[in-house]
Every structure is written in structure tokens, then in C-alpha cells.
Amino acid sequence: DDVSSPECLPTRSLLAWDSVLNTTYFVLVHGNMFDPVGNFVLFATSVDKPSSTPTNTPSLKPTSSPIVLQRSSGGDNCSDAEVLWVGSKIYGSTVNATFDDWSCNVGNDGLGVWYFVLGDGSALKVDTCDIATDFDTIIEVFEGSCSSSLSCVAYSDSSCDVRGSSVSWIGDRGVLYYVLVHGSGSFVGNFVLSLELDRIQTVH
């Protein structure tokens, strides 16, 4: 595919095909003659096969079953951020993390780890409200460039209980959002980070 899908912005591509069980597929990503090199983020997921021939490319939506990533501690820097999927539940830790330069002015003096999610126009919610989170967490969401400047989108400190935090925002289509999880003050520990659609914001 070369920007032929209505699901994508002009510099992006989307491709869907019927896979065969136990078959290995190789995916080649490259530029074109007008924009030959650059950075990209590649996503792969499954889609429901329509009962009839679709009139356009199916939307790549997450499956109904949560994706659980065990022991994914996130990137120690914004540029090393790890991917978040809608429906995912990630077990992470800030024990070996370092201090970060970016802040939403909520007293970011804790050790943090980074994740990212690609917006698709939906209302998104990330939280550390799981009972397995064992320290006071703060969540901050940014957009922009890790190498130049980030802008604060939303943040939360202890919004669901003493330890857990929850942040909701509208994820604009094609925009990368960076999620920073860190402790309050000197607190470090283990957390469970969940990403899901915010049904309340979506309704309104």
C-alpha cells in the first residue's frame, strides 16, 4: 500500500490481507521517490473478516481480548518509549528508572518510564488503578518530539485511589502520544498500566 487507504494521513500507509495458518509473512517498509527516508512506527494487529466484500479498507481495531504484556518496564527515555495498545495491560516498574526532563508541572521529581500510543480520533484512557500497583504513581501524557519539545496533554496524581492515577484525553488521528509513569517524590515500585477507550468521553 502507498497512501491509498482513507484510514491514513498522506504520509502513512495501511495494508490488510487474509493470512494463512502457520505461514510466515515478511513486511517491507520503505519510502518513495519524493520522500525516500525517515522515521516510522509500524503497527500490526488482527481484524474481523467481513461477511461480504467490503467497499473500503477495514479499520484496524483491537481485538476484544486484552493484550497482556508481562514485565514490560517501558523505556527509560522518551525516545525509547514502548508501544501501548488499546486493551493492553502492562506490568511495569520504575525501580531501575532515571529522572526525566519533561513535566506537566505536577512536581515531576520521581523516576519514570515511557510508553507511546497512536491516536485514531477516539477518547483514550490510561490508568494505574490496578490493585497490583504498589506505590504512589503519577501519569503524564505528552505530544510532540522527544528530540526537541513535548507539550503536556493531560496528567493525573492519585485520581482513582492513593496509589493509582487515571488520565483521559481525545487522541487525534495520526498523532503520537507519549505516556510517562513515575512516582510521587522518591517513591518507586511496580505498577500495572492499562489503556482503553474512554466510553464516557466517547458518548459525549
Side-chain angles (χ1 to χ4, degrees), residues 62-69 85-91 193-196:
T63 58
S64 57
S65 301
I67 304 168
V68 180
L69 303 179
W85 292 95
V86 172
S88 64
K89 180 175 288 188
I90 292 182
Y91 296 79
L193 181 65
S194 299
L195 172 65
E196 59 187 15

Side-chain angles (χ1 to χ4, degrees), residues 144-166:
S145 170
C146 294
S147 60
S148 56
S149 104
L150 292 174
S151 300
C152 181
V153 175
Y155 64 88
S156 172
D157 181 9
S158 304
S159 56
C160 48
D161 57 41
V162 176
R163 296 174 175 174
S165 296
S166 177

Side-chain angles (χ1 to χ4, degrees), residues 102-158:
W102 305 105
S103 173
C104 286
N105 296 318
V106 293
N108 182 8
D109 50 0
L111 309 178
V113 292
W114 293 83
Y115 300 89
F116 72 88
V117 58
L118 181 66
D120 69 351
S122 303
L124 301 172
K125 181 176 74 172
V126 290
D127 71 71
T128 52
C129 299
D130 194 281
I131 193 173
T133 297
D134 61 12
F135 71 110
D136 187 1
T137 57
I138 296 175
I139 299 176
E140 302 181 70
V141 180
F142 302 88
E143 64 177 311
S145 170
C146 294
S147 60
S148 56
S149 104
L150 292 174
S151 300
C152 181
V153 175
Y155 64 88
S156 172
D157 181 9
S158 304

Side-chain angles (χ1 to χ4, degrees), residues 48-125:
D48 294 330
K49 186 175 181 179
S51 57
S52 59
T53 302
T55 57
N56 53 21
T57 306
S59 178
L60 291 182
K61 295 296 182 182
T63 58
S64 57
S65 301
I67 304 168
V68 180
L69 303 179
Q70 297 285 347
R71 296 181 297 279
S72 177
S73 294
D76 193 32
N77 300 296
C78 174
S79 57
D80 300 320
E82 296 186 7
V83 65
L84 281 175
W85 292 95
V86 172
S88 64
K89 180 175 288 188
I90 292 182
Y91 296 79
S93 175
T94 62
V95 172
N96 296 315
T98 57
F99 291 99
D100 298 284
D101 295 330
W102 305 105
S103 173
C104 286
N105 296 318
V106 293
N108 182 8
D109 50 0
L111 309 178
V113 292
W114 293 83
Y115 300 89
F116 72 88
V117 58
L118 181 66
D120 69 351
S122 303
L124 301 172
K125 181 176 74 172

